Amino acid sequence: MIDLDYRIAFDLAPIGMVLSRNRLVVDCNQHALAMFYAEGAQLIGQSFEVMYPSTAEYQRTGDRIIASLGEDGRYADDRVMKRMSGELFWCHVSGRALDSADPHAAGIWTFEDLSARRVLKVDFTGREREIAALLIEGDTSKQIGKKLAISPRTVDVYRARLMRKMNASTTPELVHRLLAV
């Protein structure tokens, strides 16, 4: 008989799990390592930045988490992440800051690889990836602008670029194409 304890549950959970302190990976489970094609030393003790497509996206996401964190310290979104191989993939990230007054001090994060359902087919810029993720969530230009600290008009310009790249003539068609495998 196998004794179940918290360490076994953490290590064998069917979803990637990461414990963080000041945006550094303190510990992660086997599923997270496999998802990011990483060995322990490539993530543990490292900044979350190694899992982002760019430094700018890492910084903007950190700012967005602080601005959007609920009173219960919870946050979730879909975003493009980067494996250690350099491959980009869609990922659902959810987590909880242990102190909502200092969101990056310590947290528990889960990562779900969405690449089986949502494939990156087009080479997007970092900002296009962020806007695409928020469009998929159903946000308006005004809401996206507020979350990203840019004007709604700038969001519209990026949406138009996305529509051209995805050969979509309407926003619903764009979202459908972004979600299609």
Side-chain angles (χ1 to χ4, degrees):
M1 178 183 300
I2 297 174
D3 287 333
L4 291 178
D5 64 16
Y6 291 105
R7 185 70 216 186
I8 289 172
F10 177 75
D11 284 335
L12 300 179
I15 191 164
M17 297 180 75
V18 174
L19 304 177
S20 68
R21 199 171 293 285
N22 299 312
R23 297 192 83 191
L24 297 177
V25 176
V26 173
D27 199 1
C28 62
N29 69 359
Q30 294 302 310
H31 197 86
L33 291 172
M35 182 185 316
F36 286 97
Y37 302 167
E39 299 292 326
Q42 290 177 292
L43 291 184
I44 298 171
Q46 302 300 314
S47 166
F48 273 85
E49 186 176 346
V50 300
M51 297 183 285
Y52 281 83
S54 70
T55 299
E57 287 170 87
Y58 164 76
Q59 291 169 341
R60 288 192 301 255
T61 301
D63 293 342
R64 193 167 61 244
I65 289 169
I66 289 172
S68 304
L69 200 66
E71 287 187 22
D72 61 357
R74 296 177 192 273
Y75 180 84
D77 69 13
D78 289 353
R79 67 178 80 136
V80 175
M81 301 294 289
K82 181 181 76 174
R83 303 185 204 278
M84 294 303 112
S85 65
E87 176 190 350
L88 302 182
F89 69 104
W90 280 103
C91 189
H92 177 74
V93 181
S94 60
R96 181 172 187 182
L98 300 183
D99 177 1
S100 59
D102 189 1
H104 295 310
I108 303 165
W109 298 93
T110 62
F111 296 83
E112 180 185 0
D113 185 344
L114 301 176
S115 60
R117 308 191 294 268
R118 191 181 300 166
V119 178
L120 279 169
K121 300 179 205 137
V122 178
D123 188 25
F124 295 140
T125 66
R127 186 61 90 182
E128 287 170 344
R129 284 190 291 270
E130 290 175 310
I131 289 172
L134 294 170
L135 286 170
I136 288 168
E137 290 180 19
D139 288 356
T140 65
S141 292
K142 187 174 181 179
Q143 291 167 323
I144 294 170
K146 187 173 182 176
K147 286 180 180 179
L148 300 180
I150 58 177
S151 77
R153 178 68 186 124
T154 301
V155 173
D156 291 338
V157 168
Y158 279 101
R159 181 195 330 255
R161 287 182 193 170
L162 287 166
M163 290 170 74
R164 275 193 304 278
K165 285 184 175 184
M166 298 297 294
N167 293 317
S169 56
T170 65
T171 298
E173 184 180 0
L174 171 63
V175 170
H176 176 74
R177 289 175 189 244
L178 288 168
L179 290 171
V181 176

